[in-house]
Amino acid sequence: METELPFSSHMLILPHIRVQNANAISSPLTHGFPSITAFMGFMWALERKAHAAGIDDIMFNAVGVICHDFQEQVTDSGFTYAFNLTRNPIEKGGKTAPIIEEGRIHLDVSLLLAIAFKGEGKENYQIDEYVEKIAVIAQNMRIAGGSIIPPSPNMAKHRKPHWIECNTSSDNDNNFSDYRKNCYRLLPGYALVERSGLIAERLKKMQETQPEATSLDAWLSLSRVNWRCKSEAQSPKTETKKENIWENDQDNGWIVPIPVGYGAVGEMQPSGSVSSARDNTIPFQPVESLFSIGEWIAPFRLKHPNDLLWYPSSFLGEKNIIEKSVYRCHNFYQYSL
């Protein structure tokens, strides 16, 4: 499925956002960092609030995430980890409220938002005013369910939101000098990019010895560290015993399993026809998570803004082909040695 990228003329940078108690469970199968769909939802919510505040000529097209620090709220019991849970207040009848398992994580992240303006181009002072207003709006929002903590007074000056000119539709390297400078300013940190091509590579390798292997097997293999014992043949001329050498396949960088969107598992229902839906004013679509493979990579290794940015896309299949309705986030990072 090809995705046509929208034109973006500028990039809004919200550096070092401290988030407390964000959702660490990104999908039914993964945890440890919020889903990219959570940051996409933050971008859309920020756009709606900006329009409501009078900034109605701005469009948010894509979002990039750089993580500087994280602290997942877990208890290390040795081989396994358990989430730190909280007990809820006593119910009205005096009974003890049940403990609901929730995964929480504290984050220090920077968000890079690809933006464009409707109509004529904006002067620099107008964009500066927009950035100031948007920064105030963002401070009163949530990211992945977590609360945004204001920066300390001594760091507020160095972590002030700003913007740069960055035409994401162009391949001219001269347009990305400011982008590269800001990538160095966002160190230390790692950007999340997609490496879905690794699934096909691992599947091809696995099918050499396991012809029945599927894409799910390849995804699970990439999600863990696989140790294998390799025995060296004993030399007939010596009495030296053969040695066992342990090897792992951790040679592709900081690879992680990630959810990238949702796929339909049922027909779309008319708005208001499903009880207890979050919003009864829009149609309801039952979906399940879509998974891929991501990589945490240093920002200075990214040559083009689209290597960092995640773009939303939606494809509505025909009525009789439900499984083709896909709501997905795309990243176009190209791996190179």
Side-chain angles (χ1 to χ4, degrees):
M1 181 174 60
E2 296 183 358
T3 303
E4 183 178 354
L5 301 183
F7 169 77
S8 300
S9 58
H10 297 77
M11 184 176 289
L12 172 60
I13 301 176
L14 304 176
H16 287 277
I17 303 175
R18 294 192 302 161
V19 186
Q20 189 176 52
N21 288 330
N23 183 18
I25 304 176
S26 53
S27 74
L29 300 178
T30 58
H31 77 95
F33 194 79
S35 169
I36 194 65
T37 56
F39 297 98
M40 197 70 68
F42 171 81
M43 180 188 74
W44 284 330
L46 183 60
E47 182 182 51
R48 290 194 296 268
K49 289 182 178 292
H51 291 175
I55 314 175
D56 53 1
D57 55 351
I58 191 172
M59 298 179 294
F60 292 75
N61 296 324
V63 60
V65 181
I66 296 177
C67 181
H68 306 283
D69 193 13
F70 69 95
Q71 183 184 14
E72 191 173 19
Q73 302 302 292
V74 294
T75 299
D76 184 1
S77 57
F79 184 73
T80 60
Y81 291 86
F83 289 116
N84 295 338
L85 305 179
T86 58
R87 183 176 292 278
N88 297 324
I90 297 177
E91 296 179 345
K92 293 182 178 179
K95 297 182 179 179
T96 302
I99 296 178
I100 301 175
E101 188 172 19
E102 295 178 323
R104 298 183 178 89
I105 187 172
H106 301 334
L107 300 170
D108 181 2
V109 296
S110 292
L111 300 184
L112 293 83
L113 305 170
I115 61 176
F117 300 98
K118 302 176 184 177
E120 299 179 358
K122 299 296 178 182
E123 299 292 338
N124 289 350
Y125 75 91
Q126 293 177 304
I127 302 178
D128 290 337
E129 293 176 356
Y130 283 179
V131 170
E132 291 181 4
K133 293 180 180 179
I134 292 173
V136 174
I137 295 173
Q139 284 294 328
N140 296 287
M141 296 177 60
R142 287 178 174 266
I143 297 179
S147 304
I148 296 178
I149 307 300
S152 57
N154 59 334
M155 296 299 296
K157 181 180 179 180
H158 303 283
R159 299 182 177 180
K160 186 177 180 181
H162 55 281
W163 62 273
I164 59 174
E165 291 187 13
C166 189
N167 184 355
T168 59
S169 302
S170 173
D171 292 329
N172 187 355
D173 289 343
N174 295 329
N175 294 329
F176 306 140
S177 58
D178 289 342
Y179 163 75
R180 294 193 181 96
K181 291 178 183 177
N182 277 271
C183 282
Y184 283 101
R185 291 175 60 183
L186 295 174
L187 294 175
Y190 289 87
L192 182 63
V193 300
E194 186 176 6
R195 294 292 306 279
S196 57
L198 292 176
I199 299 178
E201 295 178 9
R202 180 59 60 88
L203 178 61
K204 183 179 179 180
K205 184 177 180 181
M206 293 179 65
Q207 287 179 339
E208 294 176 358
T209 55
Q210 306 174 43
E212 70 283 359
T214 64
S215 297
L216 177 60
D217 296 320
W219 182 79
L220 292 172
S221 177
L222 288 166
S223 302
R224 60 179 181 258
V225 180
N226 301 286
W227 287 91
R228 295 178 177 85
C229 181
K230 181 180 179 181
S231 299
E232 291 186 348
Q234 182 176 352
S235 175
K237 297 181 180 180
T238 63
E239 298 180 356
T240 306
K241 296 182 179 180
K242 61 181 181 179
E243 296 182 357
N244 294 329
I245 301 176
W246 287 91
E247 297 179 342
N248 64 57
D249 52 8
Q250 215 172 10
D251 55 356
N252 293 313
W254 191 352
I255 301 299
V256 290
I258 57 172
V260 292
Y262 306 95
V265 295
E267 295 184 1
M268 185 176 294
Q269 305 297 321
S271 57
S273 62
V274 178
S275 61
S276 302
R278 179 176 295 182
D279 190 345
N280 290 321
T281 62
I282 59 176
F284 180 87
Q285 177 79 73
V287 297
E288 63 181 359
S289 296
L290 300 177
F291 296 95
S292 183
I293 289 294
E295 180 182 1
W296 290 105
I297 187 171
F300 63 83
R301 294 179 57 190
L302 305 176
K303 300 178 180 180
H304 193 282
N306 287 331
D307 292 343
L308 169 70
L309 297 172
W310 289 81
Y311 290 85
S313 69
S314 58
F315 177 80
L316 302 180
E318 299 177 6
K319 187 175 182 181
N320 296 328
I321 312 178
I322 300 171
E323 62 272 13
K324 287 193 175 181
S325 296
V326 175
Y327 311 89
R328 195 187 192 284
C329 300
H330 292 272
N331 172 257
F332 300 94
Y333 169 70
Q334 298 293 330
Y335 174 75
S336 60
L337 294 175

mmCIF file of all heavy atoms in Angstrom, residues 143-184:
data_model
loop_
_atom_site.group_PDB
_atom_site.id
_atom_site.type_symbol
_atom_site.label_atom_id
_atom_site.label_comp_id
_atom_site.label_asym_id
_atom_site.label_seq_id
_atom_site.Cartn_x
_atom_site.Cartn_y
_atom_site.Cartn_z
ATOM 1 N N ILE A 143 0.096 12.918 27.305
ATOM 2 C CA ILE A 143 0.724 12.096 26.286
ATOM 3 C C ILE A 143 0.654 10.649 26.736
ATOM 4 O O ILE A 143 1.178 10.302 27.806
ATOM 5 C CB ILE A 143 2.187 12.508 26.046
ATOM 6 C CG1 ILE A 143 2.260 13.942 25.506
ATOM 7 C CG2 ILE A 143 2.861 11.542 25.080
ATOM 8 C CD1 ILE A 143 3.675 14.428 25.264
ATOM 9 N N ALA A 144 -0.014 9.816 25.953
ATOM 10 C CA ALA A 144 -0.175 8.394 26.293
ATOM 11 C C ALA A 144 -0.766 8.220 27.691
ATOM 12 O O ALA A 144 -0.395 7.305 28.424
ATOM 13 C CB ALA A 144 1.158 7.660 26.174
ATOM 14 N N GLY A 145 -1.666 9.112 28.061
ATOM 15 C CA GLY A 145 -2.302 9.042 29.367
ATOM 16 C C GLY A 145 -1.489 9.613 30.500
ATOM 17 O O GLY A 145 -1.962 9.674 31.639
ATOM 18 N N GLY A 146 -0.258 10.050 30.232
ATOM 19 C CA GLY A 146 0.605 10.591 31.278
ATOM 20 C C GLY A 146 0.545 12.106 31.355
ATOM 21 O O GLY A 146 0.240 12.785 30.364
ATOM 22 N N SER A 147 0.841 12.633 32.519
ATOM 23 C CA SER A 147 0.811 14.077 32.744
ATOM 24 C C SER A 147 2.146 14.704 32.344
ATOM 25 O O SER A 147 3.212 14.155 32.619
ATOM 26 C CB SER A 147 0.527 14.389 34.218
ATOM 27 O OG SER A 147 -0.681 13.785 34.635
ATOM 28 N N ILE A 148 2.070 15.870 31.684
ATOM 29 C CA ILE A 148 3.271 16.602 31.294
ATOM 30 C C ILE A 148 3.725 17.469 32.460
ATOM 31 O O ILE A 148 2.944 18.260 32.998
ATOM 32 C CB ILE A 148 3.007 17.459 30.046
ATOM 33 C CG1 ILE A 148 2.673 16.553 28.857
ATOM 34 C CG2 ILE A 148 4.212 18.338 29.723
ATOM 35 C CD1 ILE A 148 2.358 17.312 27.582
ATOM 36 N N ILE A 149 4.979 17.294 32.844
ATOM 37 C CA ILE A 149 5.548 18.038 33.970
ATOM 38 C C ILE A 149 6.308 19.240 33.425
ATOM 39 O O ILE A 149 7.152 19.098 32.534
ATOM 40 C CB ILE A 149 6.492 17.144 34.798
ATOM 41 C CG1 ILE A 149 5.782 15.850 35.199
ATOM 42 C CG2 ILE A 149 7.005 17.887 36.026
ATOM 43 C CD1 ILE A 149 4.549 16.059 36.032
ATOM 44 N N PRO A 150 6.041 20.450 33.936
ATOM 45 C CA PRO A 150 6.775 21.631 33.451
ATOM 46 C C PRO A 150 8.267 21.502 33.717
ATOM 47 O O PRO A 150 8.685 20.897 34.709
ATOM 48 C CB PRO A 150 6.159 22.785 34.260
ATOM 49 C CG PRO A 150 4.847 22.272 34.745
ATOM 50 C CD PRO A 150 5.024 20.802 34.936
ATOM 51 N N PRO A 151 9.097 22.060 32.845
ATOM 52 C CA PRO A 151 10.547 21.990 33.078
ATOM 53 C C PRO A 151 10.948 22.835 34.270
ATOM 54 O O PRO A 151 10.278 23.796 34.627
ATOM 55 C CB PRO A 151 11.140 22.538 31.770
ATOM 56 C CG PRO A 151 10.069 23.411 31.209
ATOM 57 C CD PRO A 151 8.774 22.768 31.593
ATOM 58 N N SER A 152 12.045 22.474 34.903
ATOM 59 C CA SER A 152 12.546 23.242 36.038
ATOM 60 C C SER A 152 12.974 24.627 35.557
ATOM 61 O O SER A 152 13.370 24.806 34.395
ATOM 62 C CB SER A 152 13.727 22.515 36.686
ATOM 63 O OG SER A 152 14.758 22.285 35.740
ATOM 64 N N PRO A 153 12.920 25.643 36.427
ATOM 65 C CA PRO A 153 13.239 27.014 35.999
ATOM 66 C C PRO A 153 14.624 27.163 35.378
ATOM 67 O O PRO A 153 14.811 27.937 34.444
ATOM 68 C CB PRO A 153 13.117 27.815 37.302
ATOM 69 C CG PRO A 153 12.184 27.024 38.157
ATOM 70 C CD PRO A 153 12.461 25.590 37.826
ATOM 71 N N ASN A 154 15.608 26.448 35.887
ATOM 72 C CA ASN A 154 16.963 26.601 35.362
ATOM 73 C C ASN A 154 17.150 25.930 34.011
ATOM 74 O O ASN A 154 18.145 26.163 33.326
ATOM 75 C CB ASN A 154 17.994 26.063 36.352
ATOM 76 C CG ASN A 154 17.766 24.605 36.673
ATOM 77 O OD1 ASN A 154 16.653 24.112 36.576
ATOM 78 N ND2 ASN A 154 18.814 23.899 37.067
ATOM 79 N N MET A 155 16.206 25.068 33.611
ATOM 80 C CA MET A 155 16.308 24.395 32.325
ATOM 81 C C MET A 155 15.276 24.886 31.321
ATOM 82 O O MET A 155 15.302 24.475 30.158
ATOM 83 C CB MET A 155 16.132 22.879 32.514
ATOM 84 C CG MET A 155 17.218 22.230 33.343
ATOM 85 S SD MET A 155 18.858 22.403 32.602
ATOM 86 C CE MET A 155 18.645 21.474 31.096
ATOM 87 N N ALA A 156 14.370 25.758 31.729
ATOM 88 C CA ALA A 156 13.291 26.204 30.843
ATOM 89 C C ALA A 156 13.831 26.918 29.609
ATOM 90 O O ALA A 156 13.309 26.766 28.501
ATOM 91 C CB ALA A 156 12.333 27.113 31.609
ATOM 92 N N LYS A 157 14.892 27.703 29.765
ATOM 93 C CA LYS A 157 15.452 28.444 28.640
ATOM 94 C C LYS A 157 16.053 27.520 27.603
ATOM 95 O O LYS A 157 15.942 27.758 26.394
ATOM 96 C CB LYS A 157 16.511 29.433 29.153
ATOM 97 C CG LYS A 157 17.133 30.284 28.059
ATOM 98 C CD LYS A 157 18.163 31.245 28.629
ATOM 99 C CE LYS A 157 18.800 32.071 27.520
ATOM 100 N NZ LYS A 157 19.823 33.019 28.065
ATOM 101 N N HIS A 158 16.685 26.428 28.044
ATOM 102 C CA HIS A 158 17.346 25.514 27.127
ATOM 103 C C HIS A 158 16.372 24.517 26.500
ATOM 104 O O HIS A 158 16.730 23.855 25.524
ATOM 105 C CB HIS A 158 18.449 24.749 27.856
ATOM 106 C CG HIS A 158 19.475 25.639 28.494
ATOM 107 N ND1 HIS A 158 20.468 26.266 27.776
ATOM 108 C CD2 HIS A 158 19.653 26.024 29.786
ATOM 109 C CE1 HIS A 158 21.219 26.989 28.588
ATOM 110 N NE2 HIS A 158 20.752 26.859 29.819
ATOM 111 N N ARG A 159 15.188 24.422 27.042
ATOM 112 C CA ARG A 159 14.206 23.470 26.539
ATOM 113 C C ARG A 159 12.963 24.181 26.026
ATOM 114 O O ARG A 159 11.839 23.697 26.173
ATOM 115 C CB ARG A 159 13.850 22.462 27.632
ATOM 116 C CG ARG A 159 15.064 21.653 28.085
ATOM 117 C CD ARG A 159 14.733 20.621 29.134
ATOM 118 N NE ARG A 159 15.904 19.822 29.480
ATOM 119 C CZ ARG A 159 15.912 18.837 30.365
ATOM 120 N NH1 ARG A 159 14.791 18.528 31.010
ATOM 121 N NH2 ARG A 159 17.017 18.150 30.610
ATOM 122 N N LYS A 160 13.180 25.297 25.406
ATOM 123 C CA LYS A 160 12.085 26.102 24.880
ATOM 124 C C LYS A 160 11.679 25.581 23.505
ATOM 125 O O LYS A 160 12.528 25.356 22.640
ATOM 126 C CB LYS A 160 12.520 27.563 24.777
ATOM 127 C CG LYS A 160 11.411 28.509 24.366
ATOM 128 C CD LYS A 160 11.920 29.939 24.358
ATOM 129 C CE LYS A 160 10.808 30.905 23.945
ATOM 130 N NZ LYS A 160 11.300 32.300 23.908
ATOM 131 N N PRO A 161 10.387 25.369 23.263
ATOM 132 C CA PRO A 161 9.948 24.930 21.931
ATOM 133 C C PRO A 161 10.349 25.928 20.857
ATOM 134 O O PRO A 161 10.347 27.140 21.074
ATOM 135 C CB PRO A 161 8.426 24.843 22.078
ATOM 136 C CG PRO A 161 8.196 24.645 23.547
ATOM 137 C CD PRO A 161 9.274 25.428 24.230
ATOM 138 N N HIS A 162 10.698 25.422 19.682
ATOM 139 C CA HIS A 162 11.116 26.273 18.587
ATOM 140 C C HIS A 162 10.759 25.608 17.268
ATOM 141 O O HIS A 162 10.245 24.485 17.236
ATOM 142 C CB HIS A 162 12.630 26.548 18.659
ATOM 143 C CG HIS A 162 13.470 25.320 18.698
ATOM 144 N ND1 HIS A 162 13.653 24.569 19.851
ATOM 145 C CD2 HIS A 162 14.180 24.678 17.737
ATOM 146 C CE1 HIS A 162 14.428 23.552 19.612
ATOM 147 N NE2 HIS A 162 14.764 23.574 18.331
ATOM 148 N N TRP A 163 11.023 26.285 16.165
ATOM 149 C CA TRP A 163 10.693 25.750 14.851
ATOM 150 C C TRP A 163 11.862 25.949 13.896
ATOM 151 O O TRP A 163 12.731 26.790 14.121
ATOM 152 C CB TRP A 163 9.443 26.442 14.291
ATOM 153 C CG TRP A 163 9.619 27.925 14.075
ATOM 154 C CD1 TRP A 163 9.423 28.919 15.002
ATOM 155 C CD2 TRP A 163 10.063 28.576 12.878
ATOM 156 N NE1 TRP A 163 9.703 30.144 14.456
ATOM 157 C CE2 TRP A 163 10.098 29.969 13.144
ATOM 158 C CE3 TRP A 163 10.420 28.122 11.607
ATOM 159 C CZ2 TRP A 163 10.482 30.899 12.198
ATOM 160 C CZ3 TRP A 163 10.807 29.053 10.656
ATOM 161 C CH2 TRP A 163 10.824 30.426 10.956
ATOM 162 N N ILE A 164 11.881 25.150 12.839
ATOM 163 C CA ILE A 164 12.886 25.281 11.798
ATOM 164 C C ILE A 164 12.202 25.099 10.443
ATOM 165 O O ILE A 164 11.131 24.475 10.343
ATOM 166 C CB ILE A 164 14.019 24.239 11.940
ATOM 167 C CG1 ILE A 164 13.453 22.809 11.894
ATOM 168 C CG2 ILE A 164 14.812 24.461 13.215
ATOM 169 C CD1 ILE A 164 14.491 21.724 11.884
ATOM 170 N N GLU A 165 12.795 25.678 9.422
ATOM 171 C CA GLU A 165 12.305 25.443 8.063
ATOM 172 C C GLU A 165 12.800 24.086 7.593
ATOM 173 O O GLU A 165 13.982 23.778 7.698
ATOM 174 C CB GLU A 165 12.791 26.546 7.116
ATOM 175 C CG GLU A 165 12.162 27.895 7.381
ATOM 176 C CD GLU A 165 12.542 28.910 6.317
ATOM 177 O OE1 GLU A 165 13.090 28.485 5.270
ATOM 178 O OE2 GLU A 165 12.304 30.105 6.519
ATOM 179 N N CYS A 166 11.897 23.296 7.073
ATOM 180 C CA CYS A 166 12.271 21.935 6.682
ATOM 181 C C CYS A 166 11.246 21.406 5.694
ATOM 182 O O CYS A 166 10.150 20.991 6.084
ATOM 183 C CB CYS A 166 12.351 21.042 7.919
ATOM 184 S SG CYS A 166 13.031 19.428 7.596
ATOM 185 N N ASN A 167 11.566 21.461 4.414
ATOM 186 C CA ASN A 167 10.674 20.960 3.366
ATOM 187 C C ASN A 167 10.853 19.449 3.255
ATOM 188 O O ASN A 167 11.815 18.963 2.665
ATOM 189 C CB ASN A 167 10.988 21.646 2.039
ATOM 190 C CG ASN A 167 10.028 21.236 0.935
ATOM 191 O OD1 ASN A 167 9.180 20.365 1.126
ATOM 192 N ND2 ASN A 167 10.147 21.864 -0.217
ATOM 193 N N THR A 168 9.918 18.687 3.816
ATOM 194 C CA THR A 168 10.047 17.233 3.841
ATOM 195 C C THR A 168 9.810 16.596 2.477
ATOM 196 O O THR A 168 10.100 15.411 2.293
ATOM 197 C CB THR A 168 9.053 16.628 4.850
ATOM 198 O OG1 THR A 168 7.714 17.000 4.482
ATOM 199 C CG2 THR A 168 9.354 17.124 6.249
ATOM 200 N N SER A 169 9.278 17.361 1.521
ATOM 201 C CA SER A 169 9.019 16.812 0.190
ATOM 202 C C SER A 169 10.222 16.933 -0.731
ATOM 203 O O SER A 169 10.193 16.438 -1.854
ATOM 204 C CB SER A 169 7.806 17.509 -0.447
ATOM 205 O OG SER A 169 6.666 17.368 0.356
ATOM 206 N N SER A 170 11.270 17.612 -0.283
ATOM 207 C CA SER A 170 12.445 17.840 -1.120
ATOM 208 C C SER A 170 13.575 16.908 -0.717
ATOM 209 O O SER A 170 13.706 16.528 0.440
ATOM 210 C CB SER A 170 12.909 19.297 -1.001
ATOM 211 O OG SER A 170 14.132 19.498 -1.665
ATOM 212 N N ASP A 171 14.391 16.558 -1.696
ATOM 213 C CA ASP A 171 15.578 15.735 -1.440
ATOM 214 C C ASP A 171 16.854 16.555 -1.491
ATOM 215 O O ASP A 171 17.958 15.995 -1.467
ATOM 216 C CB ASP A 171 15.669 14.610 -2.479
ATOM 217 C CG ASP A 171 14.552 13.590 -2.298
ATOM 218 O OD1 ASP A 171 14.124 13.399 -1.148
ATOM 219 O OD2 ASP A 171 14.110 13.018 -3.305
ATOM 220 N N ASN A 172 16.721 17.871 -1.542
ATOM 221 C CA ASN A 172 17.894 18.747 -1.595
ATOM 222 C C ASN A 172 18.543 18.821 -0.224
ATOM 223 O O ASN A 172 17.918 19.248 0.751
ATOM 224 C CB ASN A 172 17.477 20.140 -2.072
ATOM 225 C CG ASN A 172 18.665 21.050 -2.317
ATOM 226 O OD1 ASN A 172 19.812 20.677 -2.050
ATOM 227 N ND2 ASN A 172 18.397 22.237 -2.829
ATOM 228 N N ASP A 173 19.796 18.418 -0.126
ATOM 229 C CA ASP A 173 20.488 18.396 1.163
ATOM 230 C C ASP A 173 20.642 19.778 1.772
ATOM 231 O O ASP A 173 20.795 19.921 2.984
ATOM 232 C CB ASP A 173 21.876 17.757 1.011
ATOM 233 C CG ASP A 173 21.775 16.260 0.761
ATOM 234 O OD1 ASP A 173 20.695 15.702 1.031
ATOM 235 O OD2 ASP A 173 22.757 15.670 0.287
ATOM 236 N N ASN A 174 20.613 20.823 0.955
ATOM 237 C CA ASN A 174 20.779 22.178 1.486
ATOM 238 C C ASN A 174 19.605 22.598 2.364
ATOM 239 O O ASN A 174 19.717 23.533 3.149
ATOM 240 C CB ASN A 174 20.934 23.177 0.329
ATOM 241 C CG ASN A 174 22.205 22.939 -0.467
ATOM 242 O OD1 ASN A 174 23.215 22.488 0.084
ATOM 243 N ND2 ASN A 174 22.173 23.224 -1.760
ATOM 244 N N ASN A 175 18.471 21.920 2.241
ATOM 245 C CA ASN A 175 17.285 22.275 3.022
ATOM 246 C C ASN A 175 17.315 21.699 4.431
ATOM 247 O O ASN A 175 16.467 22.016 5.245
ATOM 248 C CB ASN A 175 16.013 21.772 2.319
ATOM 249 C CG ASN A 175 15.781 22.468 1.001
ATOM 250 O OD1 ASN A 175 16.152 23.626 0.837
ATOM 251 N ND2 ASN A 175 15.181 21.764 0.052
ATOM 252 N N PHE A 176 18.290 20.827 4.722
ATOM 253 C CA PHE A 176 18.257 20.089 5.973
ATOM 254 C C PHE A 176 19.382 20.471 6.929
ATOM 255 O O PHE A 176 19.643 19.751 7.884
ATOM 256 C CB PHE A 176 18.330 18.589 5.683
ATOM 257 C CG PHE A 176 17.277 18.123 4.722
ATOM 258 C CD1 PHE A 176 17.578 17.195 3.740
ATOM 259 C CD2 PHE A 176 15.984 18.618 4.792
ATOM 260 C CE1 PHE A 176 16.611 16.760 2.845
ATOM 261 C CE2 PHE A 176 15.012 18.198 3.903
ATOM 262 C CZ PHE A 176 15.320 17.267 2.925
ATOM 263 N N SER A 177 20.055 21.601 6.699
ATOM 264 C CA SER A 177 21.159 21.980 7.587
ATOM 265 C C SER A 177 20.636 22.263 8.995
ATOM 266 O O SER A 177 21.233 21.816 9.982
ATOM 267 C CB SER A 177 21.892 23.200 7.027
ATOM 268 O OG SER A 177 20.994 24.294 6.863
ATOM 269 N N ASP A 178 19.530 23.015 9.101
ATOM 270 C CA ASP A 178 18.950 23.284 10.421
ATOM 271 C C ASP A 178 18.461 22.002 11.076
ATOM 272 O O ASP A 178 18.565 21.835 12.302
ATOM 273 C CB ASP A 178 17.794 24.280 10.301
ATOM 274 C CG ASP A 178 18.276 25.681 9.978
ATOM 275 O OD1 ASP A 178 19.476 25.955 10.180
ATOM 276 O OD2 ASP A 178 17.465 26.504 9.517
ATOM 277 N N TYR A 179 17.914 21.109 10.275
ATOM 278 C CA TYR A 179 17.425 19.839 10.815
ATOM 279 C C TYR A 179 18.567 19.045 11.432
ATOM 280 O O TYR A 179 18.447 18.509 12.537
ATOM 281 C CB TYR A 179 16.743 19.049 9.702
ATOM 282 C CG TYR A 179 16.558 17.584 9.999
ATOM 283 C CD1 TYR A 179 15.573 17.151 10.897
ATOM 284 C CD2 TYR A 179 17.359 16.625 9.397
ATOM 285 C CE1 TYR A 179 15.408 15.815 11.179
ATOM 286 C CE2 TYR A 179 17.199 15.275 9.672
ATOM 287 C CZ TYR A 179 16.225 14.880 10.556
ATOM 288 O OH TYR A 179 16.065 13.552 10.835
ATOM 289 N N ARG A 180 19.702 18.973 10.752
ATOM 290 C CA ARG A 180 20.832 18.207 11.268
ATOM 291 C C ARG A 180 21.405 18.851 12.533
ATOM 292 O O ARG A 180 21.805 18.157 13.467
ATOM 293 C CB ARG A 180 21.906 18.081 10.192
ATOM 294 C CG ARG A 180 21.473 17.245 8.992
ATOM 295 C CD ARG A 180 22.654 16.885 8.109
ATOM 296 N NE ARG A 180 22.236 16.104 6.959
ATOM 297 C CZ ARG A 180 21.981 16.599 5.753
ATOM 298 N NH1 ARG A 180 22.102 17.892 5.555
ATOM 299 N NH2 ARG A 180 21.605 15.833 4.757
ATOM 300 N N LYS A 181 21.458 20.182 12.560
ATOM 301 C CA LYS A 181 21.942 20.865 13.759
ATOM 302 C C LYS A 181 21.059 20.547 14.952
ATOM 303 O O LYS A 181 21.551 20.311 16.062
ATOM 304 C CB LYS A 181 21.989 22.369 13.519
ATOM 305 C CG LYS A 181 23.062 22.820 12.529
ATOM 306 C CD LYS A 181 23.001 24.315 12.322
ATOM 307 C CE LYS A 181 24.027 24.773 11.287
ATOM 308 N NZ LYS A 181 23.932 26.234 11.023
ATOM 309 N N ASN A 182 19.749 20.534 14.738
ATOM 310 C CA ASN A 182 18.834 20.246 15.839
ATOM 311 C C ASN A 182 18.898 18.790 16.262
ATOM 312 O O ASN A 182 18.617 18.472 17.418
ATOM 313 C CB ASN A 182 17.406 20.626 15.431
ATOM 314 C CG ASN A 182 17.116 22.101 15.610
ATOM 315 O OD1 ASN A 182 16.677 22.535 16.671
ATOM 316 N ND2 ASN A 182 17.385 22.900 14.576
ATOM 317 N N CYS A 183 19.266 17.896 15.348
ATOM 318 C CA CYS A 183 19.445 16.495 15.731
ATOM 319 C C CYS A 183 20.573 16.360 16.742
ATOM 320 O O CYS A 183 20.474 15.591 17.698
ATOM 321 C CB CYS A 183 19.733 15.646 14.489
ATOM 322 S SG CYS A 183 18.266 15.275 13.504
ATOM 323 N N TYR A 184 21.639 17.130 16.547
ATOM 324 C CA TYR A 184 22.746 17.092 17.508
ATOM 325 C C TYR A 184 22.336 17.743 18.831
ATOM 326 O O TYR A 184 22.800 17.350 19.901
ATOM 327 C CB TYR A 184 23.965 17.808 16.935
ATOM 328 C CG TYR A 184 24.713 16.986 15.910
ATOM 329 C CD1 TYR A 184 24.557 17.212 14.553
ATOM 330 C CD2 TYR A 184 25.584 15.967 16.301
ATOM 331 C CE1 TYR A 184 25.237 16.452 13.610
ATOM 332 C CE2 TYR A 184 26.262 15.195 15.371
ATOM 333 C CZ TYR A 184 26.086 15.445 14.024
ATOM 334 O OH TYR A 184 26.746 14.682 13.093
#
